[in-house]
């Protein structure tokens, strides 16, 4: 069963709250607190690692679809979303910022949206 859009939004909001609550926490007791403590470079390195793992899992699933490969891909995507949310929180952003941007783009073709972006 897939969650409703509202349930999805609620999960992201709750996760963002948990992540924010770990800021300033004990890095020996919380993985997220440890990431915050180590700073921007460590957090962004983790996002990059997770993005690479998504690519590898997606290629594996594409080449040989199976329930196990699908679940591996979903797990890697969840890791990427999680670490991206840690990065957002570290940089003063939240899921509402990204959802707001997606809402702004809704109804635009991808090509049209890309053409509207500033050069550079």
């Amino acid at each position: 069963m897939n969650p409703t859009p509202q349930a999805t939004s609620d999960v992201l909001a709750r996760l963002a709250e948990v992540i924010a609550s770990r800021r300033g926490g004990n890095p020996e007791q919380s993985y997220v607190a440890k990431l915050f403590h180590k700073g921007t470079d460590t957090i962004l390195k983790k996002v990059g690692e997770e993005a690479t793992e998504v690519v590898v899992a997606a290629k594996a699933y594409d080449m040989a679809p199976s329930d196990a490969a699908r679940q591996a891909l979903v797990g890697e995507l969840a890791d990427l979303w999680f670490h991206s949310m840690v990065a957002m929180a570290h940089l003063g952003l939240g899921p509402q910022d990204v959802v707001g941007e997606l809402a702004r783009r809704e109804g635009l073709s991808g090509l049209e949206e890309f053409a509207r972006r500033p050069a550079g």
Side-chain angles (χ1 to χ4, degrees), residues 3 18-20 24 29-30 38 42 45 48 54 56 58 63-64 73-74 81 86 88 96 99 101 111 114 116 120:
V18 170
I19 289 169
Q29 295 178 343
S30 165
K38 288 186 174 188
T42 296
K45 180 181 175 190
V54 166
V56 170
M63 292 175 66
L73 175 57
V74 168
W81 282 26
V86 172
M88 286 188 286
Q96 70 281 0
V99 170
E101 176 61 12
L111 295 175
F114 186 74
R116 290 184 179 186

Side-chain angles (χ1 to χ4, degrees), residues 30-116:
S30 165
Y31 173 70
V32 173
K34 180 188 276 188
L35 288 172
F36 281 138
H37 180 75
K38 288 186 174 188
T40 304
D41 287 348
T42 296
I43 293 168
L44 296 179
K45 180 181 175 190
K46 194 64 185 167
V47 171
E49 290 171 4
E50 296 301 339
T52 299
E53 291 173 9
V54 166
V55 170
V56 170
K59 290 296 288 181
Y61 180 64
D62 185 52
M63 292 175 66
S66 69
D67 289 342
R70 180 184 185 282
Q71 188 54 47
L73 175 57
V74 168
E76 294 300 346
L77 286 162
D79 290 346
L80 177 58
W81 282 26
F82 173 81
H83 287 92
S84 294
M85 289 181 67
V86 172
M88 286 188 286
H90 181 70
L91 298 168
L93 302 170
Q96 70 281 0
D97 296 298
V98 176
V99 170
E101 176 61 12
L102 291 171
R104 183 192 68 78
R105 295 179 184 184
E106 191 173 11
L108 292 176
S109 79
L111 295 175
E112 180 182 1
E113 193 283 324
F114 186 74
R116 290 184 179 186

